Amino acid sequence: MTRVLVIGAGPAGLAAAVAARDRGAEVVLVDASDAEGGQFWRHLPAQRAGRRESRLHHGWSRFTALRERLRADPGCEILLETGVWAIEPGERPVVHVLRGPADGGSRSRRALTADAVVIATGAYDRTLPFPGWQLPGVYSGGAAQALAKGERVAVGRRVVVAGAGPFLLPVAASLSGVGAEVAGVFEASGSRALAAGWLPRPWELTRVPGKAAELAGYAVGQLRRRIPYRVGWGVIEALGAARVEAITVARLDDDWWPRPGTERTLEVDAVCVSHGFTPRLELALAAGCALGADRFVAVDAAQATSVPGVYAAGELTGIGGADAALSEGAIAGHCAAGGHPDDRAVRRAVSARRTASRFAARLERAHAVHSGWTSWLSDDTIVCRCEEVTAGMLREVRAATPDAGLRSLRLTTRAGLGPCQGRMCGRAVEEVLGTSEASMDRRPIALPVRVGELADRETDET
Amino acid sequence: MASVIVVGAGIVGAAVARALAHEGHAVTVVERGASAGGTSASGEGNILVSDKALGPELDLALRSTELWRALEAELRAELPRDAPSIEFEPKGGVVVATTDDGARSLLAFAARQRTAGVVARELGPDEAHAAEPHLTDAVVAAVHYPGDAQVQPAIATEALLASARLAGARVLARAEVLAAAPGDGRIAGVVTSRGTLRADHVVVAAGPWSAAVAERLGSSLAVLPRRGVVLVTTRMPRTVRHKVYDADYVGAVESGAAGLQFSGVVESTASGTVLIGSSREQRGFDARLPTEVLRGLARRALALFPCLADAAVMRAYGGFRPYAPDHLPVIGEDARVPGLWFATGHEGAGIGLSLGPAELVADLLAGRPPSLDPAAFSPARAGLRTAERAA
Ligand SMILES: Cc1cc2nc3c(=O)[nH]c(=O)nc-3n(C[C@H](O)[C@H](O)[C@H](O)COP(=O)(O)OP(=O)(O)OC[C@H]3O[C@@H](n4cnc5c(N)ncnc54)[C@H](O)[C@@H]3O)c2cc1C
Ligand SMILES: Cc1cc2nc3c(=O)[nH]c(=O)nc-3n(C[C@H](O)[C@H](O)[C@H](O)COP(=O)(O)OP(=O)(O)OC[C@H]3O[C@@H](n4cnc5c(N)ncnc54)[C@H](O)[C@@H]3O)c2cc1C
């Protein structure tokens, strides 16, 4: 029997596992976290499950259906709290995992192999730095969302949401859902970019049924709660002594340069900033998968990567939201199990993917990060938080070593050499340095491993 | 004064460029990628005498170490005040033997080194623990080498280049050397992907890619890549004070065996991380990081410092040491193509050794009597030629 290994149990991975089972493959589904659902369906642990879970999550019934189907299926082995820390390419790629809680002392090493591997590791949320962003009270959109969805905690009493992309709306909605006053949503893309991407008002988007309904839901909620929504504005500074007390917002031009004289100060006790997502590429790169010019994993109609037997789905292949992830996952799982994208079984997924990828393209046109953002960094703004590397240090070393590439610049400044290894700051560091020929995406050790665990013998399974 | 092209902006090319530019030569460094983007940014920064057996390489190491000690102050005088520190740290090394056999050969090795003027102090188990409190209880004997030091190799490379630029050298990055410029037997310059450059001399300092460059320039050179991998932990409280090696290190450095070998080297860096090195393996330019290699490194580190078991490894990286079949650097003018020079083949010691060869090239090019006998490093030496014939 064909054996398919799926990495990541978010929308893409769950859909892949189900589709691979439907086509008769034996499936192993691994995820580092302690629950299925990924970023989109992050939820309270079962023992504390809220009655309102289904109202807080879009497509909750779809999630529970996928999850229960797999849990009840003896042909699918679900390994939670199982982090993939390395992939070795080869005839049959070897997937190295550590099982057990990441902070516990007793993780065990296993090597898994399969006929095909589906990588569905999702994305990191992205926050562009600004002066004061290291103050307590500044959150990434993803962190605020995770606290609201996973813990029912609001990050502040009076909060501003800022950045770029439709993700700002669910963050604002979740925050007000857990009791915060949202003093405003500031979208950096101007109305021109938004119009080019879709329509000036994102909730008027009608092409993507799931997404549109979701956005419409937020919009209605917003109007009802009278949350001001401004386009072409950005947070350019956070102010406060020990924590955020206020923020400065300013109008941005089309390239995201703040327009002088438009600055305004708002008193808040928290600010959530999100500038979209960057794909979580380390495992795909370690497996040898080629990237496209857009720095997402390149896939064909079958969601197959450049490496035989390795498939990719979800945010890894382009930021398109949960609907895109579900359809890509279904196609990837089906094809990994020996199917073909023309098969009847995936006809609906293929057409949903077409719509979703159009949505992703609009998203990119409307909300792409523009280079003017680096102008709001002052010399003492920290860009790499792990190693406390400031924009001034990066600029100085860049000027002093004119022939250096990213590798040398990184080793000299230490940017991206701390515990996050550039996962959070990588793209920002690259943009401040103005390097284009190399990237920080390559991280062959995908998750930290203890020296003792590395030295352990591994149990092999085939 | 002559015009000189240096091929490669790694640490060796940077050191050669600096030495020649300071003498007044018109130097152009030609680099196909970016500066400090090759091997010099893919290894560690040990400046060692402890692992060198009696012979020409030890002489080169002793001379290079002297030059490193002087370099810090020279760079401080030359470069802008806010230039990043090269993190030169003369912290000394401790070589540890955990078996009786290992102890015997370690002590004998050190005794021979002493005859060349190396400071090598024997430590009993208690003294070893006083020097390195977290060291394994299994230590049988150890030797302390106060002369071992370390440097941050990428910053050092950039600092040498910056110094060379101040002395008039030019760096041409993203220019790959493709062929020799047309001439009449003597080298006349190089054809690069960004145009042809003429010069009186061309120095190949292209690290593990030097053989390919030699061939493009009408000669040949038996330098091959030897893969090495290093692990990096997250920052931790200072657990390792010196550079600490297991006594097998010496064996692995000298051995020519192609199979996977490990030489345990554990050290803290200025930033608080611990580096765990390194493996040696002949596998061409295969850049993968097999987990078996990572496991071997972890086991070696634990054998020295059991307390590292809970330290988190956040990164692994590797590079290709440029090695010659007789494991000696290749420094000097080519006998077949006059004007073509080599400064390469420093294997796992190219950071530490970089300054000595630079001085040697400058001496030979100026026709001065060099401070070291260059014969052992000659591109025409028997140890290189036999290997070429075999290949
Ligand atoms: C922090 C955050 C919050 C988000 N919240 C929302 C939201 O509220 N609404 C919305 O529309 N979109 C949200 N998104 C966007 C969301 O990622 C997508 O809409 C959707 O979840 C993508 O599905 P996916 O299956 O591609 O990835 P994910 O849902 O991200 O699933 C990836 C899974 O892979 C696992 N994984 C990754 N690496 C490894 C590894 N090395 N070993 C083992 N497992 C691994 C992860 O634990 C995760 O469960 C969020 C994104 C992020 C980063
Ligand atoms: C894992 C590991 C650990 C190590 N640890 C140590 C240590 O602790 N101490 C120590 O002293 N040494 C160590 N070394 C060895 C040391 O790194 C090397 O000996 C040294 O970096 C070699 O420097 P280089 O300048 O000769 O080569 P490189 O730094 O590789 O520079 C050569 C340059 O030439 C360029 N080039 C190649 N072909 C062309 C072309 N056709 N045209 C133009 N340019 C070209 C390349 O792009 C490259 O930038 C280690 C090596 C490894 C791999």
Side-chain angles (χ1 to χ4, degrees):
Chain A
M1 199 199 270
T2 311
R3 183 175 148 104
V4 175
L5 177 68
V6 180
I7 305 172
L14 289 169
V18 165
R21 283 297 297 140
D22 284 346
R23 188 135 198 315
E26 181 194 339
V27 170
V28 182
L29 174 62
V30 301
D31 198 295
S33 90
D34 59 2
E36 304 93 331
Q39 302 288 6
F40 189 61
W41 289 313
R42 187 189 283 270
H43 53 280
L44 287 178
Q47 58 274 26
R48 295 199 281 131
R51 250 175 291 124
R52 304 190 319 136
E53 206 73 72
S54 58
R55 278 187 46 211
L56 271 159
H57 293 279
H58 290 272
W60 183 252
S61 57
R62 179 126 191 226
F63 167 53
T64 50
L66 290 168
R67 181 182 66 185
E68 297 322 316
R69 155 77 203 275
L70 292 170
R71 282 185 176 176
D73 184 346
C76 176
E77 187 184 5
I78 304 176
L79 303 174
L80 297 175
E81 292 193 311
T82 302
V84 178
W85 66 274
I87 289 191
E88 285 181 274
E91 184 108 16
R92 278 160 70 92
V94 184
V95 174
H96 298 271
V97 303
L98 282 160
R99 290 207 69 188
D103 48 3
S106 58
R107 294 193 297 182
S108 60
R109 261 184 79 176
R110 271 166 81 175
L112 308 171
T113 51
D115 301 296
V117 176
V118 178
I119 306 181
T121 46
Y124 297 113
D125 60 334
R126 178 168 188 202
T127 299
L128 298 178
F130 51 91
W133 75 312
Q134 76 283 3
L135 284 172
V138 178
Y139 293 85
S140 73
Q145 182 77 338
L147 281 168
K149 275 191 178 180
E151 305 290 336
R152 300 286 184 274
V153 170
V155 294
R157 276 196 302 274
R158 189 176 144 82
V159 188
V160 151
V161 178
F167 188 45
L168 303 184
L169 299 171
V171 172
S174 301
L175 282 169
S176 72
V178 291
E181 176 201 346
V182 180
V185 175
F186 295 91
E187 161 67 56
S189 302
S191 48
R192 216 175 325 189
L194 293 179
W198 37 56
L199 295 165
R201 282 167 296 169
W203 52 84
E204 289 181 10
L205 182 72
T206 53
R207 281 277 176 77
V208 185
K211 204 71 201 175
E214 183 187 328
L215 292 173
Y218 295 130
V220 170
Q222 260 192 61
L223 293 179
R224 206 172 45 218
R225 297 188 187 91
R226 305 210 176 285
I227 297 173
Y229 180 85
R230 293 218 145 72
V231 301
W233 284 77
V235 170
I236 60 165
E237 189 171 20
L239 307 160
R243 55 167 297 121
V244 175
E245 291 160 18
I247 52 154
T248 307
V249 294
R251 273 204 79 94
L252 307 178
D253 72 11
D254 288 351
D255 289 324
W256 291 22
W257 289 76
R259 292 178 197 266
T262 63
E263 298 85 356
R264 266 202 250 154
T265 301
L266 294 175
E267 279 178 29
V268 295
D269 61 356
V271 53
C272 305
V273 187
S274 158
H275 293 90
F277 303 95
T278 53
R280 205 163 161 170
L281 293 171
E282 38 277 85
L283 291 176
L285 285 173
C289 303
L291 305 187
D294 56 2
R295 295 173 72 178
F296 288 96
V297 176
V299 288
D300 66 9
Q303 298 291 134
T305 69
S306 62
V307 178
V310 179
Y311 296 75
E315 305 286 54
L316 205 54
T317 62
I319 304 299
D323 294 325
L326 283 165
S327 56
E328 290 163 4
I331 299 163
H334 177 77
C335 296
H340 192 275
D342 291 341
D343 293 344
R344 196 180 183 59
V346 287
R347 194 175 292 163
R348 275 181 56 197
V350 167
S351 108
R353 180 179 64 182
R354 199 174 306 125
T355 320
S357 68
R358 262 188 244 130
F359 172 76
R362 287 156 157 269
L363 200 70
E364 173 58 25
R365 276 184 79 186
H367 300 285
V369 170
H370 287 263
S371 61
W373 75 267
T374 56
S375 69
W376 66 58
L377 302 177
S378 57
D379 274 349
D380 61 0
T381 308
I382 289 174
V383 179
C384 158
R385 294 168 80 149
C386 299
E387 296 289 323
E388 302 192 335
V389 182
T390 63
M393 285 159 72
L394 292 173
R395 290 167 177 158
E396 222 167 78
V397 170
R398 167 80 284 181
T401 57
D403 301 300
L406 184 63
R407 192 174 181 96
S408 169
L409 291 165
R410 235 182 129 178
L411 289 164
T412 304
T413 59
R414 299 203 53 75
L417 291 184
C420 100
Q421 290 289 297
R423 290 173 176 88
M424 299 302 133
C425 65
R427 301 277 164 111
V429 168
E430 289 168 28
E431 283 166 32
V432 173
L433 289 172
T435 58
S436 55
E437 71 251 58
S439 82
M440 290 198 199
D441 295 332
R442 205 166 283 279
R443 284 179 282 269
I445 293 194
L447 301 169
V449 194
R450 294 188 193 91
V451 177
E453 292 167 340
L454 265 185
D456 277 350
R457 198 174 289 286
E458 199 167 48
T459 343
D460 289 310
E461 290 164 45
T462 41
Chain B
M1 288 294 115
S3 55
V4 186
I5 288 167
V6 177
V7 185
I11 196 158
V12 176
V16 169
R18 174 176 185 266
L20 295 179
H22 278 249
E23 299 226 331
H25 297 297
V27 176
T28 306
V29 181
V30 181
E31 164 59 53
R32 70 171 169 197
S35 56
T39 324
S40 301
S42 310
E44 297 168 86
N46 300 311
I47 301 174
L48 305 189
V49 291
S50 54
D51 64 339
K52 312 274 184 309
L54 226 52
E57 201 189 7
L58 178 59
D59 300 339
L60 191 63
L62 288 168
R63 178 61 190 149
S64 295
T65 309
E66 265 171 47
L67 294 171
W68 274 112
R69 279 168 204 275
L71 184 72
E72 261 241 305
E74 291 169 23
L75 290 177
R76 219 176 301 121
E78 291 171 33
L79 301 184
R81 243 189 344 161
D82 51 6
S85 158
I86 63 171
E87 297 174 12
F88 178 78
E89 221 184 315
K91 53 157 65 164
V94 174
V95 185
V96 177
T98 52
T99 62
D100 290 333
D101 276 355
R104 255 192 309 278
S105 50
L106 169 64
L107 298 181
F109 186 80
R112 287 194 296 277
Q113 287 174 311
R114 260 182 236 116
T115 64
V118 174
V119 184
R121 289 178 29 231
E122 286 180 22
L123 306 178
D126 290 346
E127 291 167 300
H129 280 116
E132 284 294 341
H134 298 282
L135 195 62
T136 170
D137 290 336
V139 51
V140 176
V143 176
H144 177 217
Y145 291 87
D148 282 1
Q150 82 185 28
V151 75
Q152 213 285 10
I155 301 180
T157 304
E158 297 294 355
L160 289 165
L161 272 184
S163 161
R165 277 194 207 94
L166 287 173
R170 204 162 67 93
V171 181
L172 190 63
R174 285 167 292 280
E176 178 167 357
V177 169
L178 304 170
D184 54 359
R186 208 195 136 76
I187 197 102
V190 296
V191 179
T192 79
S193 53
R194 295 179 63 183
T196 298
L197 301 170
R198 307 213 144 254
D200 304 324
H201 302 274
V202 175
V203 184
V204 177
W209 303 279
S210 294
V213 175
E215 210 155 293
R216 289 175 180 190
L217 297 180
S219 186
S220 67
L221 185 71
V223 164
L224 288 168
R226 197 174 186 191
R227 179 79 174 146
V229 173
V230 179
L231 305 178
V232 191
T233 72
T234 50
R235 267 175 209 240
M236 50 193 291
R238 193 123 175 145
T239 331
V240 184
R241 297 181 181 177
H242 302 79
K243 318 172 90 33
V244 180
Y245 337 98
D246 69 31
D248 295 346
Y249 187 89
V250 176
V253 172
E254 297 208 305
S255 155
L260 178 60
Q261 301 168 33
F262 295 99
S263 38
V265 185
V266 182
E267 64 177 308
S268 305
T269 64
S271 61
T273 61
V274 171
L275 296 187
I276 297 173
S278 61
S279 60
R280 288 169 188 268
E281 193 179 2
Q282 289 167 32
R283 45 189 287 155
F285 283 107
D286 179 351
R288 284 174 298 178
L289 295 166
T291 52
E292 261 323 286
V293 172
L294 308 182
R295 174 162 185 256
L297 289 169
R299 288 166 57 89
R300 285 307 177 108
L302 290 183
L304 288 170
F305 290 99
C307 66
L308 287 178
D310 282 331
V313 173
M314 60 176 179
R315 183 157 45 114
Y317 66 89
F320 301 95
R321 304 179 184 87
Y323 82 96
D326 57 3
H327 301 281
L328 282 175
V330 187
I331 310 160
E333 192 170 4
D334 190 41
R336 288 160 287 189
V337 183
L340 179 64
W341 296 69
F342 297 113
T344 187
H346 302 89
E347 196 155 355
I351 306 302
L353 293 183
S354 54
L355 302 182
E359 183 187 53
L360 199 53
V361 169
D363 284 346
L364 293 172
L365 209 131
R368 275 192 305 265
S371 55
L372 291 169
D373 179 5
F377 310 117
S378 162
R381 67 184 188 249
L384 279 181
R385 280 204 315 271
T386 40
E388 266 176 44
R389 232 176 286 125

